Amino acid sequence: GSAWLTNSPECNWGGIICGGGVTEIGLDFNGLNGTIPSELQHLADLELLYLDDNLLTGTIPADLGALSSLDVLSLDDNQLTGTIPAELGALSSLDVLSLDDNLLTGTIPAELGALSSLGRLELNGNLLTGTI
């Protein structure tokens, strides 16, 4: 929305939903480019992060592992590189981890096996190696 370029509170911005703090960022299909800011780690109330279907590059910030309230992390259909951070294994509330159709390399971190709430894991369309 147009509020993004004003002094309007972030809870009035398009794609942002608040309930106390910022609880949802829904910026999928927005043509976003650049890297994912590690500053997202400071959004302690964030439950849903949708950045899929953009033009994001760089690595997945390990700091996202600090988002203890996160239920959905959707970063699919971007141009993300590097490995899947083991720190994502600390997201104990995570139900959906969608990283498919990027350029991720390396192995699937064993730490993801600790995600007891995980209902959906989407990793296809990457350059991952090793076993699950």
Side-chain angles (χ1 to χ4, degrees):
S2 59
W4 277 86
L5 301 176
T6 69
N7 290 329
S8 177
E10 60 272 4
C11 294
N12 294 338
W13 298 353
I16 305 296
I17 296 177
C18 295
V22 174
T23 57
E24 179 177 346
I25 297 176
L27 296 175
D28 47 323
F29 297 96
N30 268 278
L32 298 177
N33 57 47
T35 59
I36 299 170
S38 62
E39 290 82 3
L40 289 174
Q41 70 174 311
H42 301 297
L43 298 175
D45 297 323
L46 191 63
E47 298 173 0
L48 307 169
L49 179 56
Y50 294 100
L51 297 176
D52 48 295
D53 293 282
N54 282 295
L55 303 168
L56 298 172
T57 57
T59 60
I60 299 169
D63 296 334
L64 294 183
L67 294 170
S68 59
S69 298
L70 201 63
D71 294 326
V72 175
L73 178 57
S74 184
L75 304 176
D76 55 284
D77 292 298
N78 279 290
Q79 299 165 13
L80 299 171
T81 56
T83 59
I84 299 170
E87 291 82 355
L88 297 184
L91 298 172
S92 58
S93 298
L94 200 64
D95 178 48
V96 175
L97 178 58
S98 182
L99 305 177
D100 50 309
D101 297 314
N102 279 290
L103 301 168
L104 300 172
T105 56
T107 59
I108 300 168
E111 290 82 354
L112 296 186
L115 296 173
S116 58
S117 296
L118 194 65
R120 193 167 80 212
L121 176 64
E122 298 175 349
L123 300 174
N124 57 297
N126 282 292
L127 305 169
L128 298 170
T129 58
T131 59
I132 297 177

